[in-house]
Amino acid sequence: MTRNFIHAVVTAITAGSVATGAVAQMTEVGEGEGALSIVAWAGYIERGETDAAFDWVTKFEESTGCMVSIQTANTSDEMVALMNEGGFDLVTASGDASLRMIAGKRVQPINVDLVPSWSTVDDRLKEAPWHYVDGTHYGVPYMWGPNVLMYNTEAFAEPPTSWSVVFEETTLSDGQSNAGRVQAYDGPIHIADAANYLMFHQPDLGIKDPYELNADQYAAALDLLRQQRTLVSRYWHDAFIQIDDFKNEGVVASGSWPFQVNLLAADNVPVASVIPEEGATGWADTTMLHADSEHPNCAYKWFEHQLSSNLQSDLSVWFGAVPSVPAACSDGRGMQTQEGCDANGLAQFEEIKFWKTPVAACESQGECVPYYRWVSDYIGVIGGR
């Protein structure tokens, strides 16, 4: 992380503490403005450049005249910082970014009446707390899924059953230590993965929510992450660099996204993934409209486009995630099948601990460590402090 980027993140987090103000909703969708800029996770907005079979941008551009530009972001903090700087229309935000942008007035309310396919959205997502605030919608659900444990099948005779293989030194079934052969996510939200592990293995700590940690619980999570640092070969934030590391650098285990698992498996790299016994954190991503968007009509046209069953289906296959439109699993309009959605975690919605921004005034206990501390302390962990 560069010093300028860290400053931008802190600025964005500070902005996220500002009280929400009302911004007028759109009342009708007019002609497109000819352009649309989207801040997105890698693999979310495809135009066939990585794989010609996966392209949901070209037809949108042809039918609307809205030419799409994409800025890939590798972490939620980067997304918040980019939206805080401005100059973008949409962002595919996870729950640890969305509320910060709502509170910071970086995104505007969404008039779901102007999105004809809104009725097809999974009912569990329509009023999810990471984008529905005080009776107002601030986004359109896009895709969701778990953070999985990806592993090299040649290093593990059997699928690992615990996240311990990335947190504690152990000898793997190939006879070698895991030290120097594992990775961890390069984002402060990874502290929640450590807390989730401790919830299972140290119940006396009393952790009820991995995003709501008191001082003692938080200290225990940081201690576990300092221990993990002695094992980690790289803190990853670029999905494609992680893919290369599993191919060429001897990495055998890491928290990951199904996206990387799918691309590696398609390239015949011996990898697989599991959700271990401790469970997993996860992401439910929402497309949100910048408060100062220059192309709101194109943005609303994209909202409708992103809910099309064939886009949802194909993206679900490509990313290894669960569509926000349940019909996309089984209606045959795209590549996905009901079995594929089941394998991606469709029935595990209630079990996944979805990313959210840690705040001081938490629900599970009196006072928790707020996110700005997570940012500075995680940088310290990575730096060996």
Side-chain angles (χ1 to χ4, degrees):
M1 295 183 182
T2 66
R3 180 173 298 177
N4 287 342
F5 178 66
I6 293 169
H7 174 74
V9 169
V10 173
T11 300
I13 293 167
T14 301
S17 65
V18 180
T20 302
V23 180
Q25 286 184 330
M26 290 266 288
T27 57
E28 62 179 354
V29 179
E31 289 296 315
E33 299 88 353
L36 181 67
S37 59
I38 307 176
V39 178
W41 293 106
Y44 258 22
I45 313 294
E46 291 291 312
R47 60 166 70 249
E49 294 172 334
T50 308
D51 186 322
F54 295 92
D55 179 359
W56 40 88
V57 172
T58 301
K59 288 184 179 179
F60 172 78
E61 292 177 331
E62 291 173 350
S63 65
T64 66
C66 301
M67 307 308 293
V68 177
S69 61
I70 305 158
Q71 172 66 55
T72 299
N74 295 311
T75 67
S76 288
D77 288 341
E78 188 175 348
M79 286 188 173
V80 174
L82 287 169
M83 291 293 281
N84 196 54
E85 292 170 7
F88 300 98
D89 299 303
L90 297 173
V91 60
T92 60
S94 298
D96 59 328
S98 54
L99 291 180
R100 279 185 277 164
M101 289 188 286
I102 293 170
K105 305 179 186 178
R106 291 296 83 204
V107 293
Q108 61 181 272
I110 300 303
N111 185 346
V112 298
D113 292 337
L114 301 182
V115 184
S117 294
W118 177 261
S119 62
T120 67
V121 172
D122 191 326
D123 288 337
R124 299 175 297 184
L125 297 171
K126 287 179 178 175
E127 296 183 358
W130 48 85
H131 67 83
Y132 184 73
V133 177
D134 293 335
T136 301
H137 295 278
Y138 284 91
V140 177
Y142 195 45
M143 196 69 42
W144 62 272
N147 293 315
V148 298
L149 173 57
M150 180 165 66
Y151 65 96
N152 184 300
T153 57
E154 294 179 350
F156 291 84
E158 300 290 339
T161 59
S162 171
W163 287 101
S164 63
V165 297
V166 297
F167 282 120
E168 302 180 14
E169 185 171 6
T170 186
T171 300
L172 304 180
S173 52
D174 65 359
Q176 302 180 48
S177 169
N178 61 340
R181 304 169 72 197
V182 303
Q183 292 186 338
Y185 187 55
D186 182 17
I189 204 66
H190 181 53
I191 295 174
D193 293 307
N196 181 61
Y197 182 76
L198 293 172
M199 282 178 66
F200 187 91
H201 293 282
Q202 296 186 33
D204 290 348
L205 285 170
I207 299 173
K208 296 180 176 64
D209 183 324
Y211 307 98
E212 299 185 359
L213 306 176
N214 64 29
D216 291 340
Q217 296 162 347
Y218 182 72
L222 291 182
D223 285 343
L224 179 61
L225 293 169
R226 293 186 184 102
Q227 173 180 295
Q228 183 187 50
R229 184 183 180 278
T230 65
L231 309 176
V232 168
S233 63
R234 186 198 301 274
Y235 288 90
W236 75 273
H237 59 258
D238 186 311
F240 291 98
I241 290 178
Q242 184 181 60
I243 286 170
D244 185 69
D245 287 344
F246 267 78
K247 283 183 177 179
N248 303 312
E249 300 300 328
V251 176
V252 299
S254 178
S256 189
W257 303 326
F259 175 65
Q260 291 95 297
V261 180
N262 288 349
L263 287 183
L264 284 165
D267 206 18
N268 297 315
V269 179
V271 301
S273 65
V274 295
I275 296 178
E277 60 184 354
E278 300 92 354
T281 59
W283 32 269
D285 295 339
T286 307
T287 307
M288 311 180 84
L289 178 60
H290 198 287
D292 300 319
S293 169
E294 296 181 0
H295 311 107
N297 292 304
C298 282
Y300 268 81
K301 292 177 187 294
W302 179 268
F303 285 146
E304 177 63 15
H305 177 67
Q306 79 168 47
L307 295 180
S308 63
S309 181
N310 56 327
L311 183 156
Q312 287 278 313
S313 177
D314 292 352
L315 174 57
S316 175
V317 170
W318 175 244
F319 206 84
V322 183
S324 65
V325 176
C329 293
S330 58
D331 64 10
R333 294 184 59 199
M335 302 177 189
Q336 190 56 280
T337 63
Q338 188 64 54
E339 292 76 16
C341 280
D342 291 342
N344 289 348
L346 178 62
Q348 296 171 300
F349 185 88
E350 300 298 335
E351 301 169 25
I352 298 172
K353 304 172 184 74
F354 289 107
W355 282 351
K356 64 180 180 181
T357 302
V359 295
C362 52
E363 295 182 6
S364 64
Q365 50 193 327
E367 184 175 352
C368 294
V369 178
Y371 189 67
Y372 77 87
R373 287 274 309 281
W374 289 45
V375 173
S376 58
D377 290 338
Y378 194 64
I379 293 171
V381 167
I382 292 176
R385 299 194 299 277

